[in-house]
């Protein structure tokens, strides 16, 4: 089934959209991944978190942000006075992209064509949720949500908008922090992540 039109039917529900996305073949990633990992969280959430794509653990579990990046995100959110139960959590791309190396599946960054193919699902989630703020974590989410692929470094910690005027707060992807080799640098960047999510809480 092809991805739906970017404008959801007025009577659409998240459950119906999730069910439709489960059989999406709009890009080649569905061939290799275990399953579509759709967003989850309360329908009345005021904050929508957007990541890049499911990782190995998410692909197997069928749920977003349940692996190491998700655990770090939960810790940082708790330090900012926020709880996972307050968020709707999703990804720009809803299938895991990887290359197999022996038994390991190595994450590959999704390309523009995959981001575009998946965008109607993200658009539907945004339209149905109608969140007060969208938190774009990392470059892929930021590109998907704002349409601008300009570097994230100068944009992080700031408020932007979607093309139709929704508030987008720009922050790190937790996997970026997990990859930093220097402990001191990681600590410093983690503090900035806590500050960012604190700003998000203060927007509510
Ligand atoms: N990284 C993401 O961007 N999303 C997930 O769901 C897990 C890891």
């Amino acid at each position: 089934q092809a991805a739906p039109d970017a404008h959801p039917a007025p009577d659409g529900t998240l459950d119906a959209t999730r069910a439709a996305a489960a059989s999406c073949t709009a890009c080649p990633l569905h061939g290799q991944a275990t399953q579509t990992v759709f967003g989850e969280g309360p329908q009345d959430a005021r904050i929508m978190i957007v990541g890049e794509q499911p990782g190995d653990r998410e692909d197997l579990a069928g749920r977003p942000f349940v692996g190491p990046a998700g655990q770090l995100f939960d810790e940082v959110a708790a330090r900012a006075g926020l709880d996972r139960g307050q968020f709707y959590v999703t990804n720009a791309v809803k299938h895991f992209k990887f290359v197999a190396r022996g038994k390991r599946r190595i994450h590959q960054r999704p390309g523009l064509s995959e981001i575009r193919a998946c965008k109607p699902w993200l658009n539907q989630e945004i339209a149905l949720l109608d969140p007060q703020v969208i938190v774009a974590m990392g470059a892929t989410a930021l590109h998907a949500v704002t349409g601008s692929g300009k570097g994230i470094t100068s944009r992080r910690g700031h408020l932007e908008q979607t093309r139709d005027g929704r508030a987008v707060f720009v922050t790190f992807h937790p996997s970026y922090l997990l990859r930093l080799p220097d402990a001191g640098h990681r600590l410093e960047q983690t503090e900035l992540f806590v500050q960012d999510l604190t700003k998000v809480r203060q927007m509510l």
Side-chain angles (χ1 to χ4, degrees), residues 49 68-84 86-87 135 137 169 171-175 177-178 186-201:
I49 305 290
Q71 282 159 22
L72 177 59
F73 172 73
D74 286 351
E75 279 167 34
V76 170
R79 286 187 54 201
L82 290 164
D83 180 90
R84 170 74 78 107
Q86 288 173 270
F87 307 125
V135 179
M137 299 203 300
F169 190 86
T171 191
F172 300 108
H173 193 289
S175 295
L177 301 175
L178 290 173
R186 191 164 60 238
L187 216 60
E188 182 188 289
Q189 299 288 294
T190 304
E191 289 310 309
L192 289 176
F193 197 9
V194 174
Q195 280 176 30
D196 282 355
L197 292 186
T198 303
K199 281 190 204 163
V200 170
R201 177 172 56 76

Side-chain angles (χ1 to χ4, degrees), residues 127-192:
L128 292 168
L129 250 291
D130 191 22
Q132 193 177 327
V133 58
I134 299 167
V135 179
M137 299 203 300
T140 299
L142 186 56
H143 199 159
V145 164
T146 64
S148 162
K150 267 197 319 206
I152 190 170
T153 315
S154 60
R155 301 167 72 184
R156 195 240 87 247
H158 298 283
L159 208 50
E160 298 197 11
Q161 286 194 345
T162 61
R163 288 216 171 103
D164 54 0
R166 291 178 182 276
V168 177
F169 190 86
V170 186
T171 191
F172 300 108
H173 193 289
S175 295
Y176 158 72
L177 301 175
L178 290 173
R179 282 195 305 266
L180 289 176
D182 179 77
H185 189 208
R186 191 164 60 238
L187 216 60
E188 182 188 289
Q189 299 288 294
T190 304
E191 289 310 309
L192 289 176

